[in-house]
Amino acid sequence: MAGFALRDLYMKSPIRLQQWMTTLYGMKLWQERYGRTYERELVVLANRPKDEVLVAADQLKRLNAFLEFCATHNAYYQKLFEENEIVLPLQSMEELKHIPILEKETVRKNPDIHSNIKTDILGRTGGTTGTSLQVHFTKEDYQRRMAHVDFFKAQHGFIRGMRRVSFTGRKICNPNQEKPVFWRYNRPLNQMLFSLYHVNPQTIPHYIDALNRFKPIVLDSAPSAMIEIAKYIKENQIPLEFQLLAIFPTAETITPQGRAILEEAFNAPVFDQYASSEGAPILTECTHGNMHLHHETGVIESYGDHEEILVTSFTTHGTPLVRYRIGDRMKIGEGTCACGQGGTFVTSIEGRESNYVLTPNKQKIYEGDLTTVVRVLPNSVIQTQYRQHDLYHIELKYVPDLERFKPEHEEIMRSELELLFGKEVVITLTPVQSIPRGPNGKVIVIDKTA
């Protein structure tokens, strides 16, 4: 519970002290993200093959190395491989299909899924289904992933250390804060963090003023808030005093309409990317509009009749993901992309939504932010679903794990929701045995039925 005490101290501190604490946290992130492994991976990426045959051979080699690791250091996979007579190394990518599918529930409940190695970073996610998951990362894996993201951005002109604005789902401001300073500065990364939760028609002018003062080179993170600001800029014909190199959305699916609004308002191109808090393989957008799998980070397979995918990630040594049913849907392209890069590419990502509910002051709380409420729990909530009865009443239905859920976990969820909605909103917490799935088989996180 030390983390909660530190967060309470942060929330009760004056803004100037919060800025200082944000910089301290930025120093911690710097140490985790950058180091020898990061630099070595950048060298690998600078010399990566483009030829289809070379890419396939390199991917298979990396897959076998990862599976050998699982067979040596992970009790779950040792048993799984033995029971299914998996012989390593695999001779082709097709043989990967002999390994059974990994479900979220297995990751959530089975302690053997975590490898018997030292891990430095605990990842938490609510996922697109509202399932609370905790996964373990080594610092080396974390740095490899960071290198891939930075390499992608560098292809579009952004170099680490340039000024950037990130719209964050972290609670960096008190929900009832009156002073219009809804951002905090992360000095080590030269990054201004903008609060997603405070974006509304009344506060947007303050956000625009802050953008003009900071003059970022790029914008990144959830596109929904950026689109709200872009609409306001267009409708009010507000001049901008900076020129962006690019906009890098994450976490939510960006529609063609949303992309057009961003590009017109900010006069900069949008380049999309895909990853996940669990550590899914990384995909990034090329100049021809397709999303390319970074084959060095894993494998993506089509599954089922609704373009669902399975992911195998080579950067998840702490909690290995092999044929993991992540819950997202993608259209995988055929042939070779016109950009010339070999390997798997995706023409569209269908699985991330930007649905939302409203706070009393008309701030939008998006689906991705609602699912983070259970991240702080020790894998004790199986699923969640929200219903907004009115602006002053939000209901959270949740399926508890009867073996892990404790009474104090409900108060933790209530506290997390109060940070999102404020204390004037009535919060109803309703434990249920199950939550019905939608037509596409996914849990509906925000229920808007009558």
Side-chain angles (χ1 to χ4, degrees), residues 92-116:
S92 70
M93 200 63 68
E94 279 296 309
E95 293 182 13
L96 179 60
K97 295 179 180 179
H98 297 160
I99 300 175
I101 292 170
L102 175 65
E103 299 284 354
K104 285 180 181 284
E105 189 69 355
T106 302
V107 177
R108 192 183 66 80
K109 292 188 67 171
N110 193 332
D112 286 344
I113 196 69
H114 307 299
S115 302
N116 59 355

PDB file of all heavy atoms in Angstrom, residues 92-116:
ATOM      1  N   SER A  92       9.549 -24.857 -38.812  1.00  0.00           N
ATOM      2  CA  SER A  92       8.852 -23.851 -39.613  1.00  0.00           C
ATOM      3  C   SER A  92       7.886 -23.093 -38.721  1.00  0.00           C
ATOM      4  O   SER A  92       7.540 -23.554 -37.616  1.00  0.00           O
ATOM      5  CB  SER A  92       8.080 -24.502 -40.764  1.00  0.00           C
ATOM      6  OG  SER A  92       6.967 -25.225 -40.259  1.00  0.00           O
ATOM      7  N   MET A  93       7.424 -21.951 -39.198  1.00  0.00           N
ATOM      8  CA  MET A  93       6.476 -21.151 -38.440  1.00  0.00           C
ATOM      9  C   MET A  93       5.140 -21.876 -38.296  1.00  0.00           C
ATOM     10  O   MET A  93       4.403 -21.652 -37.333  1.00  0.00           O
ATOM     11  CB  MET A  93       6.287 -19.795 -39.128  1.00  0.00           C
ATOM     12  CG  MET A  93       5.731 -18.723 -38.229  1.00  0.00           C
ATOM     13  SD  MET A  93       6.797 -18.297 -36.819  1.00  0.00           S
ATOM     14  CE  MET A  93       8.171 -17.510 -37.653  1.00  0.00           C
ATOM     15  N   GLU A  94       4.818 -22.756 -39.245  1.00  0.00           N
ATOM     16  CA  GLU A  94       3.567 -23.504 -39.175  1.00  0.00           C
ATOM     17  C   GLU A  94       3.499 -24.369 -37.925  1.00  0.00           C
ATOM     18  O   GLU A  94       2.428 -24.604 -37.372  1.00  0.00           O
ATOM     19  CB  GLU A  94       3.415 -24.382 -40.427  1.00  0.00           C
ATOM     20  CG  GLU A  94       2.889 -23.658 -41.646  1.00  0.00           C
ATOM     21  CD  GLU A  94       1.466 -23.150 -41.449  1.00  0.00           C
ATOM     22  OE1 GLU A  94       0.602 -23.953 -41.039  1.00  0.00           O
ATOM     23  OE2 GLU A  94       1.227 -21.949 -41.693  1.00  0.00           O
ATOM     24  N   GLU A  95       4.658 -24.873 -37.469  1.00  0.00           N
ATOM     25  CA  GLU A  95       4.685 -25.748 -36.297  1.00  0.00           C
ATOM     26  C   GLU A  95       4.308 -25.010 -35.015  1.00  0.00           C
ATOM     27  O   GLU A  95       3.970 -25.648 -34.011  1.00  0.00           O
ATOM     28  CB  GLU A  95       6.065 -26.386 -36.151  1.00  0.00           C
ATOM     29  CG  GLU A  95       6.407 -27.364 -37.266  1.00  0.00           C
ATOM     30  CD  GLU A  95       7.759 -28.028 -37.063  1.00  0.00           C
ATOM     31  OE1 GLU A  95       8.314 -27.927 -35.948  1.00  0.00           O
ATOM     32  OE2 GLU A  95       8.257 -28.644 -38.011  1.00  0.00           O
ATOM     33  N   LEU A  96       4.340 -23.691 -35.050  1.00  0.00           N
ATOM     34  CA  LEU A  96       3.925 -22.908 -33.879  1.00  0.00           C
ATOM     35  C   LEU A  96       2.478 -23.218 -33.521  1.00  0.00           C
ATOM     36  O   LEU A  96       2.091 -23.182 -32.345  1.00  0.00           O
ATOM     37  CB  LEU A  96       4.101 -21.414 -34.166  1.00  0.00           C
ATOM     38  CG  LEU A  96       3.691 -20.428 -33.055  1.00  0.00           C
ATOM     39  CD1 LEU A  96       4.499 -20.661 -31.781  1.00  0.00           C
ATOM     40  CD2 LEU A  96       3.868 -18.986 -33.541  1.00  0.00           C
ATOM     41  N   LYS A  97       1.668 -23.568 -34.533  1.00  0.00           N
ATOM     42  CA  LYS A  97       0.248 -23.841 -34.314  1.00  0.00           C
ATOM     43  C   LYS A  97       0.013 -25.105 -33.492  1.00  0.00           C
ATOM     44  O   LYS A  97      -1.121 -25.352 -33.047  1.00  0.00           O
ATOM     45  CB  LYS A  97      -0.471 -23.945 -35.655  1.00  0.00           C
ATOM     46  CG  LYS A  97      -0.469 -22.640 -36.439  1.00  0.00           C
ATOM     47  CD  LYS A  97      -1.167 -22.780 -37.780  1.00  0.00           C
ATOM     48  CE  LYS A  97      -1.144 -21.454 -38.535  1.00  0.00           C
ATOM     49  NZ  LYS A  97      -1.789 -21.552 -39.873  1.00  0.00           N
ATOM     50  N   HIS A  98       1.039 -25.914 -33.282  1.00  0.00           N
ATOM     51  CA  HIS A  98       0.889 -27.112 -32.446  1.00  0.00           C
ATOM     52  C   HIS A  98       0.842 -26.752 -30.959  1.00  0.00           C
ATOM     53  O   HIS A  98       0.440 -27.574 -30.136  1.00  0.00           O
ATOM     54  CB  HIS A  98       2.053 -28.081 -32.692  1.00  0.00           C
ATOM     55  CG  HIS A  98       2.100 -28.590 -34.107  1.00  0.00           C
ATOM     56  ND1 HIS A  98       3.241 -29.133 -34.669  1.00  0.00           N
ATOM     57  CD2 HIS A  98       1.163 -28.633 -35.082  1.00  0.00           C
ATOM     58  CE1 HIS A  98       2.990 -29.475 -35.921  1.00  0.00           C
ATOM     59  NE2 HIS A  98       1.740 -29.181 -36.189  1.00  0.00           N
ATOM     60  N   ILE A  99       1.255 -25.544 -30.616  1.00  0.00           N
ATOM     61  CA  ILE A  99       1.247 -25.100 -29.216  1.00  0.00           C
ATOM     62  C   ILE A  99      -0.140 -24.560 -28.885  1.00  0.00           C
ATOM     63  O   ILE A  99      -0.684 -23.733 -29.621  1.00  0.00           O
ATOM     64  CB  ILE A  99       2.315 -24.012 -28.974  1.00  0.00           C
ATOM     65  CG1 ILE A  99       3.708 -24.567 -29.293  1.00  0.00           C
ATOM     66  CG2 ILE A  99       2.252 -23.486 -27.539  1.00  0.00           C
ATOM     67  CD1 ILE A  99       4.820 -23.549 -29.198  1.00  0.00           C
ATOM     68  N   PRO A 100      -0.762 -25.017 -27.796  1.00  0.00           N
ATOM     69  CA  PRO A 100      -2.118 -24.553 -27.442  1.00  0.00           C
ATOM     70  C   PRO A 100      -2.181 -23.042 -27.218  1.00  0.00           C
ATOM     71  O   PRO A 100      -1.191 -22.401 -26.856  1.00  0.00           O
ATOM     72  CB  PRO A 100      -2.422 -25.317 -26.150  1.00  0.00           C
ATOM     73  CG  PRO A 100      -1.566 -26.533 -26.218  1.00  0.00           C
ATOM     74  CD  PRO A 100      -0.299 -26.088 -26.898  1.00  0.00           C
ATOM     75  N   ILE A 101      -3.360 -22.495 -27.404  1.00  0.00           N
ATOM     76  CA  ILE A 101      -3.598 -21.058 -27.241  1.00  0.00           C
ATOM     77  C   ILE A 101      -3.536 -20.684 -25.765  1.00  0.00           C
ATOM     78  O   ILE A 101      -3.989 -21.423 -24.882  1.00  0.00           O
ATOM     79  CB  ILE A 101      -4.969 -20.685 -27.841  1.00  0.00           C
ATOM     80  CG1 ILE A 101      -4.925 -20.841 -29.368  1.00  0.00           C
ATOM     81  CG2 ILE A 101      -5.387 -19.276 -27.459  1.00  0.00           C
ATOM     82  CD1 ILE A 101      -6.274 -20.738 -30.033  1.00  0.00           C
ATOM     83  N   LEU A 102      -2.965 -19.529 -25.492  1.00  0.00           N
ATOM     84  CA  LEU A 102      -2.877 -18.989 -24.131  1.00  0.00           C
ATOM     85  C   LEU A 102      -4.001 -17.981 -23.922  1.00  0.00           C
ATOM     86  O   LEU A 102      -4.093 -16.978 -24.634  1.00  0.00           O
ATOM     87  CB  LEU A 102      -1.514 -18.314 -23.927  1.00  0.00           C
ATOM     88  CG  LEU A 102      -1.295 -17.589 -22.597  1.00  0.00           C
ATOM     89  CD1 LEU A 102      -1.314 -18.576 -21.424  1.00  0.00           C
ATOM     90  CD2 LEU A 102       0.033 -16.829 -22.619  1.00  0.00           C
ATOM     91  N   GLU A 103      -4.869 -18.236 -22.936  1.00  0.00           N
ATOM     92  CA  GLU A 103      -5.983 -17.340 -22.646  1.00  0.00           C
ATOM     93  C   GLU A 103      -5.605 -16.352 -21.537  1.00  0.00           C
ATOM     94  O   GLU A 103      -4.733 -16.625 -20.716  1.00  0.00           O
ATOM     95  CB  GLU A 103      -7.212 -18.147 -22.203  1.00  0.00           C
ATOM     96  CG  GLU A 103      -7.727 -19.132 -23.240  1.00  0.00           C
ATOM     97  CD  GLU A 103      -8.498 -18.456 -24.383  1.00  0.00           C
ATOM     98  OE1 GLU A 103      -8.730 -17.230 -24.299  1.00  0.00           O
ATOM     99  OE2 GLU A 103      -8.858 -19.167 -25.333  1.00  0.00           O
ATOM    100  N   LYS A 104      -6.311 -15.217 -21.505  1.00  0.00           N
ATOM    101  CA  LYS A 104      -6.063 -14.213 -20.473  1.00  0.00           C
ATOM    102  C   LYS A 104      -6.261 -14.785 -19.068  1.00  0.00           C
ATOM    103  O   LYS A 104      -5.542 -14.437 -18.134  1.00  0.00           O
ATOM    104  CB  LYS A 104      -6.999 -13.010 -20.664  1.00  0.00           C
ATOM    105  CG  LYS A 104      -6.631 -12.087 -21.811  1.00  0.00           C
ATOM    106  CD  LYS A 104      -7.617 -10.931 -21.913  1.00  0.00           C
ATOM    107  CE  LYS A 104      -7.265 -10.021 -23.089  1.00  0.00           C
ATOM    108  NZ  LYS A 104      -6.122  -9.151 -22.802  1.00  0.00           N
ATOM    109  N   GLU A 105      -7.254 -15.660 -18.936  1.00  0.00           N
ATOM    110  CA  GLU A 105      -7.544 -16.223 -17.626  1.00  0.00           C
ATOM    111  C   GLU A 105      -6.362 -17.031 -17.098  1.00  0.00           C
ATOM    112  O   GLU A 105      -6.093 -17.040 -15.891  1.00  0.00           O
ATOM    113  CB  GLU A 105      -8.803 -17.098 -17.708  1.00  0.00           C
ATOM    114  CG  GLU A 105      -9.336 -17.567 -16.376  1.00  0.00           C
ATOM    115  CD  GLU A 105      -9.930 -16.451 -15.535  1.00  0.00           C
ATOM    116  OE1 GLU A 105      -9.846 -15.273 -15.932  1.00  0.00           O
ATOM    117  OE2 GLU A 105     -10.457 -16.758 -14.454  1.00  0.00           O
ATOM    118  N   THR A 106      -5.632 -17.692 -17.980  1.00  0.00           N
ATOM    119  CA  THR A 106      -4.445 -18.438 -17.556  1.00  0.00           C
ATOM    120  C   THR A 106      -3.371 -17.481 -17.058  1.00  0.00           C
ATOM    121  O   THR A 106      -2.733 -17.733 -16.024  1.00  0.00           O
ATOM    122  CB  THR A 106      -3.899 -19.285 -18.718  1.00  0.00           C
ATOM    123  OG1 THR A 106      -4.919 -20.172 -19.172  1.00  0.00           O
ATOM    124  CG2 THR A 106      -2.680 -20.083 -18.286  1.00  0.00           C
ATOM    125  N   VAL A 107      -3.164 -16.387 -17.771  1.00  0.00           N
ATOM    126  CA  VAL A 107      -2.174 -15.393 -17.348  1.00  0.00           C
ATOM    127  C   VAL A 107      -2.571 -14.809 -15.999  1.00  0.00           C
ATOM    128  O   VAL A 107      -1.739 -14.572 -15.122  1.00  0.00           O
ATOM    129  CB  VAL A 107      -2.035 -14.277 -18.402  1.00  0.00           C
ATOM    130  CG1 VAL A 107      -1.059 -13.204 -17.930  1.00  0.00           C
ATOM    131  CG2 VAL A 107      -1.577 -14.862 -19.736  1.00  0.00           C
ATOM    132  N   ARG A 108      -3.874 -14.590 -15.823  1.00  0.00           N
ATOM    133  CA  ARG A 108      -4.351 -13.960 -14.596  1.00  0.00           C
ATOM    134  C   ARG A 108      -4.225 -14.874 -13.382  1.00  0.00           C
ATOM    135  O   ARG A 108      -3.872 -14.426 -12.289  1.00  0.00           O
ATOM    136  CB  ARG A 108      -5.819 -13.545 -14.775  1.00  0.00           C
ATOM    137  CG  ARG A 108      -6.339 -12.615 -13.680  1.00  0.00           C
ATOM    138  CD  ARG A 108      -7.815 -12.318 -13.890  1.00  0.00           C
ATOM    139  NE  ARG A 108      -8.632 -13.499 -13.718  1.00  0.00           N
ATOM    140  CZ  ARG A 108      -8.992 -13.985 -12.531  1.00  0.00           C
ATOM    141  NH1 ARG A 108      -8.583 -13.383 -11.418  1.00  0.00           N
ATOM    142  NH2 ARG A 108      -9.724 -15.058 -12.443  1.00  0.00           N
ATOM    143  N   LYS A 109      -4.481 -16.192 -13.569  1.00  0.00           N
ATOM    144  CA  LYS A 109      -4.619 -17.069 -12.413  1.00  0.00           C
ATOM    145  C   LYS A 109      -3.432 -17.977 -12.143  1.00  0.00           C
ATOM    146  O   LYS A 109      -3.211 -18.381 -11.004  1.00  0.00           O
ATOM    147  CB  LYS A 109      -5.866 -17.950 -12.593  1.00  0.00           C
ATOM    148  CG  LYS A 109      -7.174 -17.204 -12.527  1.00  0.00           C
ATOM    149  CD  LYS A 109      -8.358 -18.147 -12.510  1.00  0.00           C
ATOM    150  CE  LYS A 109      -8.416 -18.956 -11.223  1.00  0.00           C
ATOM    151  NZ  LYS A 109      -9.668 -19.728 -11.094  1.00  0.00           N
ATOM    152  N   ASN A 110      -2.659 -18.334 -13.179  1.00  0.00           N
ATOM    153  CA  ASN A 110      -1.640 -19.369 -13.012  1.00  0.00           C
ATOM    154  C   ASN A 110      -0.289 -18.751 -12.656  1.00  0.00           C
ATOM    155  O   ASN A 110       0.351 -18.126 -13.504  1.00  0.00           O
ATOM    156  CB  ASN A 110      -1.519 -20.186 -14.306  1.00  0.00           C
ATOM    157  CG  ASN A 110      -0.727 -21.465 -14.097  1.00  0.00           C
ATOM    158  OD1 ASN A 110       0.131 -21.535 -13.226  1.00  0.00           O
ATOM    159  ND2 ASN A 110      -1.017 -22.472 -14.907  1.00  0.00           N
ATOM    160  N   PRO A 111       0.192 -18.909 -11.424  1.00  0.00           N
ATOM    161  CA  PRO A 111       1.477 -18.307 -11.051  1.00  0.00           C
ATOM    162  C   PRO A 111       2.660 -18.905 -11.809  1.00  0.00           C
ATOM    163  O   PRO A 111       3.705 -18.258 -11.922  1.00  0.00           O
ATOM    164  CB  PRO A 111       1.577 -18.602  -9.543  1.00  0.00           C
ATOM    165  CG  PRO A 111       0.689 -19.791  -9.321  1.00  0.00           C
ATOM    166  CD  PRO A 111      -0.424 -19.661 -10.318  1.00  0.00           C
ATOM    167  N   ASP A 112       2.503 -20.112 -12.358  1.00  0.00           N
ATOM    168  CA  ASP A 112       3.602 -20.741 -13.100  1.00  0.00           C
ATOM    169  C   ASP A 112       3.882 -20.052 -14.430  1.00  0.00           C
ATOM    170  O   ASP A 112       4.897 -20.334 -15.074  1.00  0.00           O
ATOM    171  CB  ASP A 112       3.292 -22.217 -13.355  1.00  0.00           C
ATOM    172  CG  ASP A 112       3.426 -23.068 -12.098  1.00  0.00           C
ATOM    173  OD1 ASP A 112       4.038 -22.573 -11.129  1.00  0.00           O
ATOM    174  OD2 ASP A 112       2.907 -24.193 -12.091  1.00  0.00           O
ATOM    175  N   ILE A 113       2.985 -19.157 -14.859  1.00  0.00           N
ATOM    176  CA  ILE A 113       3.191 -18.463 -16.127  1.00  0.00           C
ATOM    177  C   ILE A 113       4.338 -17.460 -16.023  1.00  0.00           C
ATOM    178  O   ILE A 113       4.896 -17.026 -17.035  1.00  0.00           O
ATOM    179  CB  ILE A 113       1.889 -17.750 -16.581  1.00  0.00           C
ATOM    180  CG1 ILE A 113       1.950 -17.361 -18.059  1.00  0.00           C
ATOM    181  CG2 ILE A 113       1.626 -16.525 -15.730  1.00  0.00           C
ATOM    182  CD1 ILE A 113       1.916 -18.512 -19.006  1.00  0.00           C
ATOM    183  N   HIS A 114       4.733 -17.106 -14.800  1.00  0.00           N
ATOM    184  CA  HIS A 114       5.850 -16.194 -14.602  1.00  0.00           C
ATOM    185  C   HIS A 114       7.157 -16.988 -14.498  1.00  0.00           C
ATOM    186  O   HIS A 114       7.244 -17.962 -13.756  1.00  0.00           O
ATOM    187  CB  HIS A 114       5.652 -15.353 -13.329  1.00  0.00           C
ATOM    188  CG  HIS A 114       4.324 -14.652 -13.289  1.00  0.00           C
ATOM    189  ND1 HIS A 114       3.953 -13.724 -14.227  1.00  0.00           N
ATOM    190  CD2 HIS A 114       3.281 -14.757 -12.424  1.00  0.00           C
ATOM    191  CE1 HIS A 114       2.739 -13.274 -13.951  1.00  0.00           C
ATOM    192  NE2 HIS A 114       2.308 -13.894 -12.863  1.00  0.00           N
ATOM    193  N   SER A 115       8.157 -16.571 -15.242  1.00  0.00           N
ATOM    194  CA  SER A 115       9.421 -17.315 -15.320  1.00  0.00           C
ATOM    195  C   SER A 115      10.221 -17.187 -14.032  1.00  0.00           C
ATOM    196  O   SER A 115      10.082 -16.221 -13.271  1.00  0.00           O
ATOM    197  CB  SER A 115      10.254 -16.794 -16.498  1.00  0.00           C
ATOM    198  OG  SER A 115       9.550 -16.916 -17.708  1.00  0.00           O
ATOM    199  N   ASN A 116      11.090 -18.151 -13.817  1.00  0.00           N
ATOM    200  CA  ASN A 116      11.916 -18.174 -12.604  1.00  0.00           C
ATOM    201  C   ASN A 116      13.219 -17.399 -12.826  1.00  0.00           C
ATOM    202  O   ASN A 116      14.323 -17.922 -12.641  1.00  0.00           O
ATOM    203  CB  ASN A 116      12.214 -19.617 -12.186  1.00  0.00           C
ATOM    204  CG  ASN A 116      12.944 -20.406 -13.274  1.00  0.00           C
ATOM    205  OD1 ASN A 116      13.159 -19.916 -14.377  1.00  0.00           O
ATOM    206  ND2 ASN A 116      13.344 -21.621 -12.932  1.00  0.00           N
TER     207      ASN A 116
END
